[in-house]
Amino acid sequence: MDMFCYMCSQALNNEACTKIGVCGKNPTVTRLQDNLVYILDGISAYYYHARELGYKDEEIAAFFSKGLYSTLTNVNFDAENYIQLSLEAGMMNFRVMQLLKKAHIETYGEPTPTQVETGTKKGHAIIVTGHNLKALGELLKQVEGTDINVYTHSEMLPAHGYPGLRKFRNLAGNLGAAWYDQKSLFAKIPAAILGTSNCVLIPTEAYRDRIFTTSIAKLPKVKHIEGYDYSLVIEKALSLPQLEEKPGNYKLTTGFSLKSVLDLKDKIKHLVELGKIRHFFVIGGCDTPTHKGSYYREFAQKLPKDTVIVTLACGKYRLNDINFGDIDGLPRLIDVGQCNDTIVAIEIAQALSTLFNTPINELPLTLVLTWMEQKAVAILWTLLALGVKGIHIGPVLPAWANEEIINLLKINYDLRLIGDPEEDIKRILKS
């Protein structure tokens, strides 16, 4: 899809708008404006969920007007200024991720490592997809005392790590993988479905009559529930056939909070000093439904056994069914949650920097991120604003990037594009 110049009313690949549009506006500026809007989209998603739980921050709210106003027609033609605005937005995203983490922990407790079932239990079923923990929490209260089992899907997996949600006996497990398996998964499981945020797809006719939306999510010809009364969802679940008892082929582990990792800091330091841990990798991000995403699974499988993987967001589903084992009792795979929990991975990197008295960019730590949507854009600019260098991204370039922007990020931040998994691992571990 072509990027569009709103000043020229032409696609940016149009011959008349290749270098300088007829409006006098450099297409790179237009792309950087798009980038800033994507960052603001990501920030707004985090802030919306924080506000649902009663947490607000006027500085974050004020930045929306500044950021969006700067993209208005004829306001700003300065590419360098948009780079600085993007970095400022990155730090604002850091602030909003901290706020959302605070909201989640103060509402549902500090997450702890938890094993999650991936099969089904005997009984009626509701599947909850999306990022909205408040919606899940309210639903769990309303199904208490029934035989309805509530299953998380995709972005909702980290809910199992929170004590305030895990305490509900009706929270039964996690079904499916990344967001894009919805149409096939939901069609074959006779459950009521509740979509709570972005990443919910337009349903097929196979399940349109049993999917509901709530909160920010809305779909055409699908019943939307204002507020948190989910009696219609419960009624639908009870009208459907019960699921059979069918154990999953594996269990998923999630819920590693900053505290749970810090509790292991002495062990981590000891293992690094003994040479039993050579390198840490953060592998995750917004997964894409293309064969190119297989890079991340292959990359993880080829990593030496003296490396530790921190994973997050939907990219985890490319590899979190693999048993990576442990290093003297320390799990090699540490899942900190979804894109809403990216702050935890950043804080772990900062904690490692403190633990080893070494700047983040000098740690044996590499970020390998899969790329797709707006929160991924916001997170990338948070990392850049924090001065993190040598980030690997893929499997495709972000839509707003052109050669000029990518070269700038390569020069100033050593941004790297993924290539062959084996060759990338050799280069990283050699450096």
Side-chain angles (χ1 to χ4, degrees):
M1 181 175 180
D2 294 330
M3 301 295 288
F4 189 77
C5 178
Y6 299 100
M7 293 287 290
C8 303
S9 298
Q10 300 185 68
L12 288 181
N13 64 354
N14 185 287
E15 185 177 352
C17 199
T18 302
K19 292 185 179 179
I20 300 293
V22 294
C23 57
K25 190 176 187 181
N26 189 318
T28 294
V29 170
T30 299
R31 289 176 180 267
L32 288 170
Q33 285 182 328
D34 289 338
N35 168 63
L36 183 57
V37 172
Y38 293 153
I39 301 172
L40 292 169
D41 286 343
I43 293 171
S44 68
Y46 293 132
Y47 194 48
Y48 185 92
H49 292 308
R51 283 175 57 88
E52 278 191 306
L53 293 170
Y55 289 74
K56 301 177 183 179
D57 185 321
E58 286 304 315
E59 188 171 338
I60 295 169
F63 185 77
F64 285 120
S65 59
K66 175 183 177 180
L68 281 174
Y69 191 18
S70 74
T71 68
L72 206 63
T73 302
N74 284 335
V75 168
N76 193 329
F77 290 81
D78 185 358
E80 178 58 33
N81 179 256
Y82 279 112
I83 295 292
Q84 294 306 313
L85 273 172
S86 297
L87 293 170
E88 185 179 347
M91 289 308 298
M92 197 57 62
N93 185 59
F94 184 73
R95 184 183 182 102
V96 77
M97 286 193 296
Q98 288 178 313
L99 180 69
L100 183 57
K101 176 189 170 183
K102 176 182 171 70
H104 283 161
I105 289 176
E106 292 187 356
T107 305
Y108 303 113
E110 183 94 23
T112 56
T114 305
Q115 284 198 323
V116 183
E117 298 287 345
T118 57
T120 58
K121 295 181 178 179
K122 179 73 173 177
H124 295 95
I126 297 174
I127 302 173
V128 183
T129 189
H131 305 79
N132 194 320
L133 294 187
K134 180 172 176 63
L136 175 65
E138 295 303 314
L139 174 65
L140 288 169
K141 292 176 187 176
Q142 294 169 44
V143 299
E144 279 193 290
T146 73
D147 75 338
I148 297 175
N149 293 310
V150 176
Y151 300 89
T152 58
H153 169 258
S154 193
E155 297 91 348
M156 196 59 73
L157 171 64
H160 295 269
Y162 290 91
L165 296 172
R166 195 171 62 235
K167 70 181 182 181
F168 291 98
R169 296 181 63 184
N170 298 73
L171 185 61
N174 186 82
L175 299 179
W179 59 274
Y180 51 81
D181 75 357
Q182 290 177 41
K183 292 187 178 183
S184 59
L185 179 75
F186 295 169
K188 67 184 180 184
I189 299 177
I193 302 146
L194 183 63
T196 68
S197 71
N198 59 308
C199 298
V200 62
L201 300 178
I202 295 175
T204 66
E205 293 305 317
Y207 63 93
R208 187 186 298 275
D209 67 333
R210 50 188 174 84
I211 184 172
F212 302 80
T213 58
T214 190
S215 185
I216 195 72
K218 288 191 177 182
L219 296 170
K221 299 180 181 178
V222 167
K223 177 66 178 178
H224 181 76
I225 298 172
E226 296 289 350
Y228 301 97
D229 178 358
Y230 297 127
S231 54
L232 288 177
V233 185
I234 294 169
E235 181 182 332
K236 174 59 72 172
L238 291 171
S239 73
L240 296 168
Q242 293 189 358
L243 301 190
E244 297 300 320
E245 187 82 24
K246 187 177 179 181
N249 296 323
Y250 53 86
K251 293 182 181 181
L252 300 175
T253 301
T254 191
F256 283 89
S257 65
L258 176 63
K259 181 181 181 301
S260 64
V261 174
L262 288 180
D263 287 345
L264 299 168
K265 69 179 187 300
D266 292 337
K267 186 178 187 66
I268 292 172
K269 186 174 184 180
H270 182 62
L271 291 173
V272 170
E273 290 171 345
L274 288 178
K276 292 189 175 184
I277 295 179
R278 188 191 343 178
H279 206 90
F280 297 87
F281 289 89
V282 176
I283 305 176
C286 299
D287 196 12
T288 57
T290 66
H291 72 278
K292 293 181 179 180
S294 62
Y295 170 95
Y296 299 90
R297 185 178 183 89
E298 186 179 347
F299 185 95
Q301 287 177 314
K302 290 182 180 295
L303 288 175
K305 295 187 183 301
D306 57 358
T307 59
V308 173
I309 301 167
V310 177
T311 191
L312 71 154
C314 286
K316 73 156 70 55
Y317 288 109
R318 290 283 181 173
L319 51 103
N320 66 344
D321 62 315
I322 302 170
N323 182 2
F324 288 96
D326 62 83
I327 301 173
D328 286 5
L330 180 78
R332 285 192 59 221
L333 184 69
I334 297 174
D335 177 42
V336 300
Q338 278 304 119
C339 50
N340 285 17
D341 307 293
T342 302
I343 185 66
V344 179
I346 295 172
E347 290 172 338
I348 288 173
Q350 293 173 327
L352 289 174
S353 176
T354 301
L355 182 64
F356 294 106
N357 194 27
T358 302
I360 287 179
N361 291 320
E362 296 177 22
L363 287 170
L365 170 68
T366 302
L367 281 67
V368 185
L369 305 180
T370 178
W371 188 271
M372 186 172 169
E373 57 101 76
Q374 293 89 335
K375 280 179 277 188
V377 181
I379 291 163
L380 175 65
W381 284 92
T382 295
L383 293 168
L384 298 179
L386 291 170
V388 179
K389 296 185 177 181
I391 302 169
H392 293 62
I393 66 167
V396 295
L397 285 174
W400 47 264
N402 60 10
E403 186 176 352
E404 182 179 358
I405 296 170
I406 289 296
N407 285 339
L408 182 149
L409 296 179
K410 284 181 177 179
I411 292 169
N412 293 318
Y413 299 99
D414 192 26
L415 187 74
R416 303 184 182 193
L417 307 182
I418 62 171
D420 174 76
E422 193 163 350
E423 291 302 314
D424 286 348
I425 291 170
K426 286 179 181 178
R427 178 174 47 78
I428 291 168
L429 294 180
K430 185 178 179 180
S431 61

